[in-house]
Amino acid sequence: AMDWVVGGFFSCIFCLLLTVHFCWTHKWLLKDSQTINAYSTVYMVLAYAWKHKYPERRSALTFWEEGLPSRIDLGKRKYGGPFTVEQVEDVKTLIRILCVLAAVAITLVGYGAS
């Protein structure tokens, strides 16, 4: 009889977790006002970095910084760009991950050839 109670308890917990997960993934409980495609964000940040060499509407507080920002950092709002810090940092992280994956792939191909 105790096994039935424990099994029923875990089944109820599982169903509750599944329901909460379903509601969150379908944006019923948490509303995100600006859902942007990740691929288009990466493309837009890289295109902005390609086209802009100098800050457009740079904030006065950023003149205290020592060096000039990189071209991809110019896309941040504090340097006059249209993107948030999180969006630009996500693209920079993706580029780093792709570089590591390319290095690993080249290494594996090199070891596979010999």
Side-chain angles (χ1 to χ4, degrees):
M2 190 61 153
D3 292 334
W4 183 81
V5 173
V6 171
F9 174 75
F10 283 119
S11 297
C12 289
I13 295 294
F14 178 74
C15 288
L16 179 69
L17 289 174
L18 194 62
T19 303
V20 169
H21 174 72
F22 177 79
C23 290
W24 277 346
T25 56
H26 289 287
K27 308 285 188 222
W28 288 349
L29 295 178
L30 298 176
K31 295 285 183 184
D32 188 14
S33 61
Q34 292 181 343
T35 304
I36 299 174
N37 186 357
Y39 298 114
S40 65
T41 302
V42 170
Y43 173 76
M44 289 187 304
V45 169
L46 292 176
Y48 188 88
W50 181 267
K51 293 177 184 176
H52 295 85
K53 290 184 180 181
Y54 306 105
E56 290 183 357
R57 298 172 308 276
R58 189 170 178 176
S59 171
L61 298 176
T62 60
F63 284 105
W64 290 99
E65 296 178 3
E66 290 290 324
L68 291 174
S70 66
R71 287 181 78 161
I72 197 165
D73 284 334
L74 291 177
K76 294 179 183 177
R77 287 195 180 125
K78 73 177 187 175
Y79 295 116
F83 305 104
T84 63
V85 174
E86 291 83 14
Q87 288 173 323
V88 174
E89 293 300 322
D90 288 345
V91 172
K92 288 168 61 175
T93 303
L94 176 69
I95 291 171
R96 290 181 188 124
I97 289 172
L98 291 176
C99 289
V100 169
L101 288 176
V104 168
I106 290 171
T107 304
L108 290 176
V109 167
Y111 281 122
S114 61

